[in-house]
Amino acid sequence: MVSSSRKGDDLTLLRDPEVEERVARLELPFNARGLDPFGVSRVDLTRWFSILTWVYRWFRVRVSGIEHVPPRGRALLIGNHSGGVALDGAMVIASMLLEMDPPRLAQGMVEKFLNMVPFSSQWMNRTGQLTGLPETAARLLADERLLMVFPEGARGTAKLYWERHSLVEFGSGFMRLALATQTPIVPFAFLGGGEAIPTVANLYRLGRLVGAPYIPVTPWILPIPRRVPLHIVYGAPMTFRGSASEEDSVIERMVDEVKGVIADLIAQHKGGLA
């Protein structure tokens, strides 16, 4: 149950007792003000995860393979985009807090356009979701963090309903980052996003007017999700050897290997959402 309280002169803080306890158990170096070296706020995490947990439970998210995610140390969570908006990222982040023991904070590399949304940049920083700059990602991994990346980028969320189980081109930046930092990759498949937000068209011109890549259109016009089961499947960690300066052809073969594992996870589990 989500309850409300008042702390000093702060605004009313929504807090779920379970979430509050799990945030307190995060192995992050919060200072006396409740901030970590990257500006993540314990208070804002509790507020945000209390809301996110309600959404997670409303969707009845099912998680498989959570034992493949390391309980400590750096790792890259690499998965497919599914659905017209980043519902998948939010649910993956929630699963790391609610299903892991000890709980972990997954930090996502978000699209740059979100910095243009009022108050969005500060909110993202305080909850650990940072603009996808390579130097920021490398710093997070050097600090033994858990980093979530969707190599399909906005192209992935732009998939139409009948393309929901497909994969579009993967960017290669995550692989060069993994090699440079000697970070294991945990592949995952997110299933159900295309059913929750079944996109039938994308309005690219309108999106550009508001600073977004596109505006998704559903059968009911607005991208308001419907309640369907969601499933996150984590695969076994993958470790790659080599240099971040490898030739493009070498990097592309490694990227294709990760993409193939994710495609297999989707194919194996796409029929089990009911």
Side-chain angles (χ1 to χ4, degrees), residues 204-237:
Y204 290 96
R205 289 187 179 180
L206 180 59
R208 286 194 292 270
L209 288 176
V210 298
Y214 60 88
I215 301 296
V217 178
T218 66
W220 46 90
I221 309 300
L222 297 177
I224 299 172
R226 58 177 181 165
R227 190 184 191 189
V228 300
L230 302 177
H231 190 188
I232 308 170
V233 185
Y234 295 101

Side-chain angles (χ1 to χ4, degrees), residues 80-84 88 152-160 168-169 214:
N80 63 301
H81 258 322
S82 176
D88 44 18
E152 295 174 291
R155 301 183 304 274
T157 51
K159 292 175 207 167
L160 301 179
V168 298
E169 181 183 357
Y214 60 88

Side-chain angles (χ1 to χ4, degrees), residues 112-126:
K112 295 179 181 178
F113 79 88
L114 289 174
N115 281 329
M116 302 171 60
V117 179
F119 309 110
S120 176
S121 179
Q122 183 183 44
W123 172 81
M124 287 189 300
N125 285 336
R126 289 186 175 180

Side-chain angles (χ1 to χ4, degrees), residues 69 73 75-77 96 104-107 144-148:
V69 182
L76 278 162
L77 301 176
M96 291 296 101
R104 296 204 68 177
L105 175 65
Q107 296 182 247
E144 305 298 332
R145 302 292 180 111
L146 193 59
L147 191 62
M148 177 185 66

Side-chain angles (χ1 to χ4, degrees), residues 32-203:
R33 297 172 55 206
L35 300 174
D36 87 340
F38 290 90
V40 178
S41 163
R42 184 159 47 199
V43 169
D44 285 298
L45 283 179
T46 302
R47 178 186 295 119
W48 182 55
F49 273 117
S50 292
I51 297 170
L52 196 57
T53 295
W54 183 89
V55 177
Y56 186 86
R57 291 169 177 162
W58 185 75
F59 274 116
R60 307 186 302 277
V61 178
R62 182 160 57 97
V63 176
S64 303
I66 195 75
E67 67 277 5
H68 292 310
V69 182
R72 293 178 178 85
R74 64 182 177 272
L76 278 162
L77 301 176
I78 305 296
N80 63 301
H81 258 322
S82 176
V85 298
L87 174 66
D88 44 18
M91 296 300 97
V92 168
I93 292 169
S95 76
M96 291 296 101
L97 185 87
L98 299 174
E99 312 288 352
M100 290 286 292
D101 192 16
R104 296 204 68 177
L105 175 65
Q107 296 182 247
M109 296 287 97
V110 301
E111 296 290 341
K112 295 179 181 178
F113 79 88
L114 289 174
N115 281 329
M116 302 171 60
V117 179
F119 309 110
S120 176
S121 179
Q122 183 183 44
W123 172 81
M124 287 189 300
N125 285 336
R126 289 186 175 180
T127 57
Q129 314 311 311
L130 306 173
T131 302
L133 299 175
E135 56 269 27
T136 303
R139 283 180 56 217
L140 287 167
L141 293 175
D143 201 47
E144 305 298 332
R145 302 292 180 111
L146 193 59
L147 191 62
M148 177 185 66
V149 179
F150 291 96
E152 295 174 291
R155 301 183 304 274
T157 51
K159 292 175 207 167
L160 301 179
Y161 175 74
W162 44 90
E163 302 169 323
R164 65 193 182 282
H165 294 138
S166 67
L167 295 173
V168 298
E169 181 183 357
F170 273 34
S172 61
F174 79 92
M175 183 56 69
R176 293 192 185 277
L177 178 65
L179 293 172
T181 58
Q182 298 183 346
T183 299
I185 290 171
V186 178
F188 71 85
F190 182 84
L191 299 120
E195 286 81 4
I197 306 174
T199 304
V200 296
N202 291 304
L203 305 179

Side-chain angles (χ1 to χ4, degrees), residues 253-270:
R253 283 197 295 271
M254 296 178 180
V255 170
D256 285 343
E257 187 175 341
V258 176
K259 186 176 180 180
V261 170
I262 295 171
D264 288 344
L265 291 174
I266 293 171
Q268 292 167 16
H269 296 276
K270 66 182 181 181

